[in-house]
Amino acid sequence: MQRLAGRIAVVTGALGGIGLATARRLTAEGATVVLADLAEPEEGRRYADELDGLYLKADVTDEETVEALFRTAHDTYGTVDIAFNNAGISPPEDDSILQTGLDTWKRVQETNLTSVYLCCKHVIPYMRAQEKGSIINTASFVARMGAATSQISYTASKGGVLAMTRELGVQFAREGIRVNALSPGPVNTPLLRELFAEDPERAARRLVHAPMGRFAEADEIAAAVAFLASDDASYITAAEFLVDGGITGAYVTPL
Ligand SMILES: NC(=O)c1ccc[n+]([C@@H]2O[C@H](COP(=O)([O-])OP(=O)(O)OC[C@H]3O[C@@H](n4cnc5c(N)ncnc54)[C@H](O)[C@@H]3O)[C@@H](O)[C@H]2O)c1
């Protein structure tokens, strides 16, 4: 499928599990991808070369950097058609509200929520000028469901991403810009695998809630991003697109 032929996409958190799988998928569907992450240029360039795209070292919590990221993408390729605002962190210090300090709270809000505000703020002018664009902001199923194993700032930040996305989707709907939130369920990443190898009970406690009895693969999230980015999703905006294997719909799961 070449649904994204000729489109220019910016992906933040592009060297992570979901980001890299998505950069690869968007490229496979014909897009040219600008990859943005914290790694040094030499490391990032390896992936950009593989995909015939561009790597930019960019901390998405910094406004000047974000402005320069979208400006460089636009100056290099002439348009910015797709923005996948995906960078995020979930550090172990972000825990119960009773333990989580203000510094940790702020760091997670800056990385997960303020970054999405900055990326939307600096990409929308390009999309308005071309009267077309698709923005996909990564939220999470935890914005929908309460967990006793709390990550209080992470959860609140993803709730913010959902609300902000809805508002932007509505505000810019008549200007050809679609803005959607993608809410993955738990994804089978190296971090998750390591964590659960150390503590199988922790994995079992979560898997019991997953109707399919497994976590998502990053490619399955990437496929949803490619759909939302494409004209196949032309009537989808201001939506929360859940890719959670049914977790948020479940009460009792199969044995
Ligand atoms: N993995 C899951 O189970 C899961 C579930 C729901 C939502 N999510 C969300 O999906 C997104 C991607 O997660 P992932 O699983 O691929 O994680 P990951 O840790 O593999 O990737 C995240 C990437 O973001 C980058 N990053 C962090 N801070 C940054 C900053 N300030 N500027 C630029 N880049 C920065 C990291 O370097 C990393 O490459 C995140 O927003 C995460 O919250 C993940």
Side-chain angles (χ1 to χ4, degrees):
M1 272 194 292
Q2 288 289 301
R3 290 184 297 189
L4 306 175
R7 308 271 169 96
I8 307 304
V10 174
V11 175
T12 73
L15 302 192
I18 293 172
L20 191 56
T22 302
R24 287 183 169 135
R25 175 71 189 239
L26 298 180
T27 305
E29 293 214 27
T32 299
V33 179
V34 177
L35 299 96
D37 208 305
L38 294 173
E40 291 306 320
E42 309 79 64
E43 194 194 335
R45 216 174 283 133
R46 286 194 290 127
Y47 297 98
D49 289 349
E50 170 201 321
L51 300 178
D52 225 356
L54 185 69
Y55 175 76
L56 295 171
K57 181 183 174 185
D59 178 346
V60 290
T61 65
D62 181 73
E63 180 155 22
E64 274 178 33
T65 307
V66 171
E67 191 272 326
L69 166 66
F70 290 104
R71 182 168 25 86
T72 307
H74 188 265
D75 288 354
T76 309
Y77 297 111
T79 62
V80 185
D81 304 295
I82 300 157
F84 181 37
N85 302 322
N86 164 72
I89 53 170
S90 51
E93 320 80 84
D94 182 19
D95 198 292
S96 155
I97 196 168
L98 301 175
Q99 273 99 43
T100 304
L102 191 55
D103 284 356
T104 300
W105 167 272
K106 285 183 177 168
R107 187 157 62 89
V108 172
Q109 294 296 319
E110 289 269 298
T111 310
N112 293 5
L113 180 57
T114 307
S115 71
V116 175
Y117 151 78
L118 290 174
C119 288
C120 291
K121 188 179 178 74
H122 290 287
V123 76
I124 285 173
Y126 294 113
M127 292 181 168
R128 287 183 88 188
Q130 66 204 31
E131 296 177 1
K132 193 170 166 61
S134 173
I135 299 175
I136 300 118
N137 297 325
T138 306
S140 168
F141 76 113
V142 301
R144 278 282 203 100
M145 303 188 79
T149 50
S150 184
Q151 292 181 287
I152 194 65
S153 186
Y154 181 89
T155 299
S157 72
K158 296 301 189 181
V161 170
L162 276 189
M164 180 164 49
T165 300
R166 190 182 306 123
E167 189 134 301
L168 295 175
V170 172
Q171 185 182 352
F172 294 102
R174 296 193 185 180
E175 298 192 54
I177 304 171
R178 295 184 296 103
V179 191
N180 292 293
L182 181 87
S183 285
V187 182
N188 186 14
T189 57
L191 193 79
L192 203 78
R193 278 197 296 275
E194 259 170 51
L195 203 71
F196 293 161
E198 273 171 32
D199 188 351
E201 199 206 318
R202 200 170 168 150
R205 187 165 175 199
R206 284 162 177 77
L207 276 170
V208 74
H209 298 289
M212 292 188 186
R214 67 173 180 87
F215 297 140
E217 297 299 327
D219 287 348
E220 294 175 305
I221 308 300
V225 182
F227 166 68
L228 288 173
S230 79
D231 294 343
D232 283 345
S234 55
Y235 201 59
I236 300 178
T237 198
E240 180 191 9
F241 200 85
L242 275 162
V243 186
D244 71 345
I247 291 175
T248 53
Y251 173 33
V252 178
T253 56
L255 281 174

